[in-house]
Amino acid sequence: MMIKNICCIGAGYVGGPTMAVIAQKCPHIKVTVVDLNQDRINAWNDSDLSKLPVYEPGLDKVVEEARGRNLFFSTDVDQAIDEAEMIFISVNTPTKTYGVGKGMAADLKYIELCARQIARVAKNDKIVVEKSTLPVRTAQAIKDILDHTGNSVNFQILSNPEFLAEGTAIEDLFSPDRVLIGGDTSSEGQKAIESLVAVYANWVSRDKILTTNVWSSELSKLTANAFLAQRVSSINAMSELCEKTGADVSEVAKAIGMDSRIGSKFLKASVGFGGSCFQKDILNLVYIAKSYGLNEVADYWEQVIIMNDHQKRRFSKNIISTLYNTVSGKKIAFLGWAFKKDTNDTRESAAIYVADDLISEQALVAVYDPQVQETQILSDLNYLESRTEMENKKYIHVASNPYVAVENSHAIAILTEWDEFKDYDWQKIYDSMLKPAFIFDGRNLLNKEQLENIGFVYQSIGS
Ligand code: UDX
Ligand code: ADP
């Protein structure tokens, strides 16, 4: 089937950029991205491109080129489903916060709602593509719902997991390492796979488009994220050992990374990984393994999360012990709140947990992040439910400028590796702080020698 109309349900960090790129690369396909959230859709339609709801380098240019030509953002979900031959489901699948599997399993409520809506609206055959990361065998659940509509519409379910990383989403979409498409082994299933292959083949070479069965595709996504997160936890585990032994984790990472079997990427020790995927996907993997009685498999992967939690906690503990065992009433400036640079996404960011620990010790936390707004920072802290919103507001202050954030502070903590932090006037910052002036660099971003020459007491991760 030649695809002329695509609908994507969910205009978030995955759906928005992915569809924008598909539309830009395939001018002959009409792409409509729908979402229930009117504010989000308004922001995607804003003529001021700096107001797009997702901050991604290069995204504004792609949207500018395609929007209104063959890329549309709307809240009319039914109409977009009706018109499309291919429907991507790109809604959020957070970790469950209630009931069976609470804190572990993926909450599939939004996925099921989408499937039911497609079932209700569809009048002709559709290919439904899972884009969100899902537990293995979710495709079967979607298929069950769709096949019981009783309106003789045929549905093919494909799994097409997204491997883009935030901050480099546009680059990752333009030249992916691979595109993975899983589908049914029947001839109908193979035809559906070919339709989606043809969409990507507009800009991705065919040898990079892998096709598998649905279950392999679903599990590959969880596996890829688990392996990536495991590398970060592995190097973070070594960082603590480095601090005790006099080794330097950056040197160790370089030395092992030159082994072509290990490779040099994803070996940066940090205050801990964040983001919407790693923790959620591993918890989900652990839950699935346990549900099959594979307790050793579950324990093995759970350790990646335990290590990550430890890394965040030991960062805050070190700040407290270094500041003479009390931070009560002391101002601590945070540079960065996003879970990594070049994104405004804060989901599971280490900054949230470090701030929460310090506030529990009555520290006054002043935050500056170039892309994250005050309302988001407050809502991240409130979500933890460690204290009331009123109390959080007493302890957290969001500054619109880094120099204001650091003024009269006892210490600076670097939580995100934004490039601009390297170019600040560190002498001016030093002069405006209380002495001794401490820097806790959770990203090993700054120049130790330069800062120590100015007079800072500088501590990084793993040395
Ligand atoms: C990840 C996967 O990389 C991507 O393929 C998948 O589609 C979604 O999940 P993302 O969460 O956007 O992408 O960012 P990623 O670059 O993987 O970073 C995740 C976290 O790990 C960040 O907090 C980052 O700062 C941290 N990290 C990464 C490190 O601490 N050290 C590293 O060496 C690499
Ligand atoms: P991701 O990182 O997976 O893209 P986001 O939370 O950024 O996750 O985006 C998911 C989007 O899906 C949200 O904007 C949410 O409003 C939208 N959404 C969730 N359920 C539905 C639904 N049933 N119909 C339309 N949009 C939905």
Side-chain angles (χ1 to χ4, degrees):
M1 194 201 301
M2 173 79 170
I3 303 297
K4 296 196 204 68
N5 256 295
I6 287 178
C7 155
C8 172
I9 309 181
Y13 283 91
V14 173
T18 310
M19 292 303 128
V21 168
I22 291 183
Q24 191 216 29
K25 299 289 185 186
C26 312
H28 56 286
I29 301 179
K30 179 181 174 192
V31 180
T32 309
V33 190
V34 291
D35 203 295
L36 299 173
N37 182 335
Q38 181 75 56
D39 290 343
R40 217 168 217 198
I41 292 299
N42 291 347
W44 279 111
N45 282 323
D46 204 306
S47 54
D48 178 355
L49 289 165
S50 71
K51 299 227 171 82
L52 295 183
V54 170
Y55 173 73
E56 272 299 334
L59 174 65
D60 48 354
K61 285 212 176 61
V62 176
V63 171
E64 186 175 31
E65 184 183 329
R67 195 176 59 189
R69 177 189 73 186
N70 64 326
L71 174 65
F72 303 92
F73 295 93
S74 156
T75 49
D76 193 342
V77 183
D78 283 4
Q79 189 190 337
I81 292 175
D82 182 37
E83 283 178 4
E85 299 106 30
M86 184 176 269
I87 300 161
F88 286 79
I89 302 185
S90 204
V91 301
N92 36 336
T93 49
T95 304
K96 272 186 87 175
T97 52
Y98 55 89
V100 177
K102 177 178 170 182
M104 301 286 275
D107 191 342
L108 299 180
K109 163 170 87 182
Y110 305 107
I111 297 280
E112 180 167 341
L113 284 172
C114 286
R116 291 192 183 278
Q117 189 159 10
I118 296 169
R120 179 169 55 74
V121 173
K123 296 198 276 293
N124 47 13
D125 295 355
K126 310 273 184 207
I127 299 170
V128 176
V129 186
E130 301 175 343
K131 200 72 182 149
S132 318
T133 310
L134 295 167
V136 190
R137 303 206 82 88
T138 305
Q140 189 59 48
I142 298 179
K143 193 162 172 44
D144 282 348
I145 294 168
L146 294 176
D147 284 349
H148 285 86
T149 57
N151 56 5
S152 74
V153 171
N154 286 314
F155 293 100
Q156 278 299 324
I157 321 293
L158 300 178
S159 158
N160 173 220
E162 189 47 72
F163 294 106
L164 66 80
E166 288 176 30
T168 53
I170 299 302
E171 246 173 88
D172 295 343
L173 287 161
F174 280 174
S175 38
D177 287 345
R178 78 315 206 174
V179 168
L180 180 59
I181 302 173
D184 199 76
T185 46
S186 66
S187 74
E188 290 304 304
Q190 295 303 304
K191 276 188 211 151
I193 290 180
E194 272 315 305
S195 306
L196 185 52
V197 169
V199 172
Y200 283 107
N202 283 292
W203 79 98
V204 180
S205 73
R206 292 232 172 199
D207 57 333
K208 288 201 166 160
I209 307 180
L210 279 183
T211 61
T212 64
N213 75 35
V214 183
W215 325 125
S216 301
S217 171
E218 287 182 338
L219 190 57
S220 299
K221 168 70 185 189
L222 289 183
T223 309
N225 277 343
F227 270 56
L228 290 168
Q230 181 197 41
R231 273 175 81 92
V232 178
S233 273
S234 296
I235 200 70
N236 281 344
M238 300 321 288
S239 76
E240 192 171 14
L241 197 55
C242 286
E243 288 166 23
K244 298 286 178 219
T245 57
D248 179 332
V249 78
S250 310
E251 292 177 351
V252 173
K254 186 165 183 196
I256 64 164
M258 285 171 81
D259 185 326
S260 61
R261 294 169 302 176
I262 296 175
S264 61
K265 291 182 184 163
F266 250 75
L267 287 178
K268 257 191 104 35
S270 69
V271 55
F273 61 73
S276 70
C277 285
F278 284 179
Q279 172 158 317
K280 179 189 80 178
D281 289 355
I282 292 181
L283 288 174
N284 190 6
L285 193 64
V286 169
Y287 183 74
I288 295 168
K290 278 194 182 149
S291 71
Y292 287 110
L294 308 179
N295 294 326
E296 290 76 9
V297 176
D299 290 350
Y300 176 77
W301 286 110
E302 193 166 16
Q303 200 58 38
V304 173
I305 302 289
I306 293 172
M307 187 61 225
N308 196 49
D309 288 339
H310 170 68
Q311 188 76 351
K312 292 182 269 188
R313 183 125 302 143
R314 98 183 169 83
F315 186 77
S316 37
K317 271 193 181 156
N318 180 47
I319 294 180
I320 297 161
S321 65
T322 308
L323 296 184
Y324 316 106
N325 287 315
T326 175
V327 288
S328 177
K330 291 182 180 169
K331 180 177 178 186
I332 299 178
F334 273 30
L335 293 182
W337 189 265
F339 81 97
K340 62 189 270 196
K341 72 170 177 177
D342 291 340
T343 178
N344 60 344
D345 195 348
T346 64
R347 286 177 286 181
E348 289 303 329
S349 178
I352 305 169
Y353 297 93
V354 176
D356 188 52
D357 283 350
L358 295 177
I359 292 174
S360 295
E361 294 289 329
Q362 302 182 342
L364 307 171
V365 178
V367 186
Y368 171 75
D369 186 291
Q371 287 295 336
V372 183
Q373 307 299 321
E374 177 163 9
T375 45
Q376 186 61 50
I377 292 173
L378 259 175
S379 113
D380 289 338
L381 272 176
N382 292 337
Y383 186 76
L384 295 184
E385 294 183 349
S386 304
R387 59 194 77 75
T388 63
E389 177 164 2
M390 284 273 279
E391 281 174 305
N392 277 331
K393 278 189 172 158
K394 239 170 53 191
Y395 289 104
I396 197 122
H397 170 76
V398 181
S400 55
N401 148 351
Y403 297 97
V404 172
V406 300
E407 214 172 4
N408 290 321
S409 65
H410 288 255
I412 293 174
I414 310 283
L415 275 306
T416 313
E417 72 283 22
W418 287 101
D419 289 329
E420 65 172 66
F421 297 166
K422 290 187 271 193
D423 302 327
Y424 286 173
D425 183 343
W426 286 99
Q427 181 68 54
K428 179 173 158 188
I429 290 176
Y430 179 77
D431 293 341
S432 75
M433 287 174 67
L434 300 177
K435 310 293 176 322
F438 293 90
I439 295 184
F440 300 92
D441 188 347
R443 296 291 182 164
N444 294 350
L445 179 76
L446 303 176
N447 184 325
K448 176 182 162 80
E449 205 186 318
Q450 181 207 347
L451 294 170
E452 285 180 346
N453 284 341
I454 292 174
F456 283 105
V457 182
Y458 174 84
Q459 289 191 12
S460 57
I461 304 271
S463 68

